[in-house]
Structures are given as C-alpha cells and as structure tokens.
Amino acid sequence: MASNSYTQADDRGQITLVDDVFQLQQAAFKQQPYLEANDRIHDLQQLKKALLGHQQELVQALSEDFGCRSLDDSKMADLMPTVMGINYAIKRLKKWMKPSKRHVGVLFQPASGYVMYQPLGVIGIITPWNYPLFLSLGPLTTALAAGNRALIKMSEFTPKTNAVLSKMLGSIFSQDKVAIIAGGPDVAAHFSRQPFDHLLFTGSTRVGKMVMAAAAQNLTPVTLELGGKSPTIIDDTIAIKDAVSRLILGKTLNAGQTCVAPDYILCPKGRIEELKQAFADWFSKMYPDIANNKDYTSIINEAQFERLTAWLEDAREKGAEIIELGDDSGAACKEQRKIPLTLVSGVSDDMTLMQEEIFGPLLPIVEYDSLDDAITYVNDRPRPLALYLCSFDEQVQQKVLQQTHAGGVCLNESAMQVAQDDMPFGGVGPSGMGHYHGHEGFLTLSKAKSVLKKGKRNSSSLAFPPYDKLVHKLIYKLFLR
C-alpha cells in the first residue's frame, strides 16, 4: 500500500513553494493579462496531448495510491471526462470569448455597449483525493480556457498520482502558468489564505466552511463544490430491478467514493425485500468476487476504511439490518481494504450514516408511504449536491423537480450528470455555491466587464448644468413616467 503521510519538513517546503509560485504567477499575469484564443487553444491542446501520453502512468499511479483502483474506474471517471471537457472547450472557446452586444438607452445615444470576458488572473484549485485527475485538470481546463494561470493544491492521500501529474504538467507548462502543490492540512490552510483572483474548492462541507472563511479575508471569490447526502427516490410504478440497474454503477464506481454517489434510497413501502434481491443480483453479475477483483476499487486508506466500518457498527448497535453483498470473506476484503456494497435497512436518524455523507459503498434504505412523504423527507434535510429519481411517470418527474432542491438531478440515471460538458455543475446551500464545467465555468473564471463606447460626438454636454434648461424638462417628461 502507498504511504499517505507527509513530514513537517515536506509541508514547510510546500508552504514556501506556494508563496514563491503565487508571486511568480501574479507577476507573469501582469506582463501578459490577456491571451488570444489561439494561445489558449494551444495550451488546451498541449494539456490533452500530455494527458493521453501519460494515461497508463497515471492510472497505474492511481491504483497504487488506492491500494487497488480499478483501471476502468480511472479511465471512465478520471481520464475520459477530462479529455471530453478539453475537447468541448477547444471547439467552443472562440464563441465564448466573443464580446456580447448589449442595448444602450435612447438617452445615452449615440453609443454602443458590450460585455467583454477578461481573464481574472491567478486561480487557486484545491483538489480532493477521490478523483484527483478530473477534479484538478477539469478546473484547470476551465482556468486555461478563460486565459488564467493556475496553482493546484493536490491531496496528500494521492502522492503517486501527484508526482506523475506534476511531471506531466511540468513538461508542457512553466511554473508561472501552471504548478502543482502537495502537502497536508497546514499547506491547504496556507493555500486558502492566498489572495487568489478566484478559489475553487472541491471537498467536504466542513472543510469548505474553513476555505470560505480564509478566502473572505482577501475578499477572494469562491466556487465550492461540496457534497451532502444525495437521495434516490424510487417511484412505486417502476420495476425495482430496472430502477436498481439505473443506480448501481453510480454507487459502486470508485467503491462509492464519489461526491454525487446515491447516498440513501427512498423505497416504496413493502418493496424493500424486492429491492435487496435486485441489488444482490446485479452486484453479483458486476463483481463475481471482491477481494481479488481488479475491477472493484479499494477504500483509499486505513482511516477511511475504519470510519466506514465504525459507521456500520454504530448502525448495527442501534438496530439496523446489515447485508453485505457478495460471497467474499470479511477477512479477505479487509486485507485488501475493500468493502462490498452493503445495504442497511431499518435505519434511524440517530445513526451516524444517516447524519453524514457516507462516501463509500454503504447504502441505507428508507421506506416511504407516499411520494409526498418522500419529498418531505428530502426537503427536511440539507439540500444535496445531487438527487436521483427512478420513474417513467412524467407527472411524478415534474412534481419532484419542482418541489425539491438539489445541485443537479438525474431521472432514471445516477452520477452521469457530472460528465455532461454542456451542463453546469454545482451545489446549492450546504452542498456548495457557484458553477463550473463548460460555458458556465468559463463565465465563472472570467470577469464580465461592461464597456460603454461613445464616439466623437459628446451628447452628454447637452444635459450639463444649469438644470433649468428646456432639455432637462424634456428629459424628465420623457423618462420619469
């Protein structure tokens, strides 16, 4: 298993590097504050070429960091959406950069108005450990498309991946444009206190609050991509086996270590046993074994493994029924730091796994009587990053969409909304603020600067004081009505 620890000396060196590189990037941006479209496209093309050239090295590093990280999980959830996002930005960048014409009122004519999209400067990106490529290079793609420079703080839990990524980016960008920072919580805290032109954080709500507080000292604008307990509502009219087929990949991908994974299921009353059997059937087809199955990802480290097992034990002690799917022995799975998909029924609000985002392959099931009860259950809790509904009834779909809040929704699918290039991604309330991905990301990391342009004729002079002239009376008569 890979080491996930940093020494204090390592952190001190990274803190110094944050200061030095941040100043370097600020100075470089002042020298070149606006990159033309072709320069930005070249940067994105270089990023894509380097990523494709290092893909085998990267997926191997990811597997070493996790102990066992499915190569296909890495390709599907880290590499593919990153490459797709780069392609999307390259194709549309010139359109995004075009000034947007705006209306100028009659009183201010002759004049023209438009909005230009200007790079902000130096962007800070704080990346979690669960998808270290997509959640670092995705925001980087947006930052480069908007003409910025970027400083990326990687998680201390993915040292192998960080090293490959640092080498890869160093082969195409100088540090005054893009740089990687590693290190633990002290480095992250110091990083958050820098006066970035925008700070994008992906992680837990608890840490997000600290990041926002640190950024506030410099009035640094933030985009917070957090998480929360993303619910799944199964409508009583859909076949349970069909519903499970729409959910199970979103929950088992990366062993559930995904911010938009289904966190708990709201199941129609009387259908829980049917639901359990459907999950067991699908899971056994997807993963005939667990411990030695390279398709099934390990929990990232011992601390996370112990957290999840402790939450299961807490639920068991408080009366929940625990069903571990698959036939592997607990000892064999523990040795590989793997937890099979585990269903938890008979849950109550005093259980830890019903209070905190699970971030692992544990799946509580809550029984509901009516759709209104399910909606009330969701609305009585903090607004989540994602909400999933399994129903083919369009009236049910509209009711859930209109009466609940979430950062994003999938109807008859799960987790795949994140990979849609033309859809904004972001939370609401406790699950985050702001958006990135695609055009919304470009807008987030650009300054929409309004420009009012007048020519040689100065019509404003007609309205100069003194204010008792006929022109003033006409202006008031025309516009104060």
Side-chain angles (χ1 to χ4, degrees), residues 27-41:
F29 182 77
K30 289 176 182 177
Q31 291 295 317
Q32 195 175 24
Y34 191 91
L35 286 178
E36 298 295 339
N38 288 340
D39 295 320
R40 302 184 196 188
I41 289 171

Side-chain angles (χ1 to χ4, degrees), residues 102 115-118 120 443 446-450:
R102 301 301 170 95
V115 173
M116 68 172 290
Y117 300 98
Q118 186 172 23
L120 289 174
L443 295 175
S446 300
K447 167 57 184 171
K449 185 162 71 176
S450 59

Side-chain angles (χ1 to χ4, degrees), residues 233 235 371-372 374-375 378-379 387-391 393-406 409-411:
I233 301 173
D235 180 24
L371 182 63
D372 286 337
I375 290 172
V378 171
N379 289 340
L387 183 146
Y388 305 114
L389 171 64
C390 293
S391 174
D393 186 323
E394 292 194 4
Q395 289 185 332
V396 170
Q397 293 176 358
Q398 286 306 306
K399 184 171 184 175
V400 171
L401 288 173
Q402 292 172 3
Q403 296 186 14
T404 62
H405 282 83
V409 174
C410 280
L411 304 175

Side-chain angles (χ1 to χ4, degrees), residues 18-19 41 64 101 179 194 246 272 367 388 418 456 471 477:
V18 170
D19 294 337
I41 289 171
E64 291 177 16
K101 291 183 180 180
Q194 302 307 302
R246 312 303 180 102
I272 287 184
E367 198 171 42
Y388 305 114
V418 181
K456 292 182 179 180
V471 67
K477 187 174 182 179

Side-chain angles (χ1 to χ4, degrees), residues 44 47-48 51 78-93 96 134 137-142 145 418-422 437-439:
L44 293 172
L47 178 60
K48 176 185 172 181
L51 183 58
D78 262 313
L79 283 167
M80 277 180 54
T82 305
V83 172
M84 290 163 59
I86 295 171
N87 289 339
Y88 187 83
I90 289 172
K91 186 175 180 180
R92 289 162 177 80
L93 183 57
W96 295 346
F134 180 49
L137 300 184
L140 175 62
T141 297
T142 302
V418 181
Q420 308 313 306
D421 299 312
D422 199 29
H437 291 195
H439 190 209

Side-chain angles (χ1 to χ4, degrees), residues 5-16 183-184 186-187:
S5 62
Y6 274 82
T7 67
Q8 288 185 339
D10 290 329
D11 277 358
R12 284 195 297 270
Q14 292 298 306
I15 286 172
T16 299
D186 289 345
V187 180

Side-chain angles (χ1 to χ4, degrees), residues 247-253 255-256 261-263 341 358 360-363 414:
L247 305 173
I248 192 165
L249 180 61
K251 186 62 180 179
T252 56
L253 185 72
D263 195 272
L341 181 60
I358 291 172
L362 317 182
L363 188 57
S414 65

Side-chain angles (χ1 to χ4, degrees), residues 21-61:
V21 176
F22 180 68
Q23 292 175 15
L24 187 67
Q25 291 194 357
Q26 279 189 314
F29 182 77
K30 289 176 182 177
Q31 291 295 317
Q32 195 175 24
Y34 191 91
L35 286 178
E36 298 295 339
N38 288 340
D39 295 320
R40 302 184 196 188
I41 289 171
H42 175 75
D43 285 342
L44 293 172
Q45 289 171 335
Q46 290 294 102
L47 178 60
K48 176 185 172 181
K49 181 179 178 181
L51 183 58
L52 293 176
H54 287 79
Q55 60 178 307
Q56 292 304 321
E57 201 174 350
L58 285 165
V59 296
Q60 182 60 40

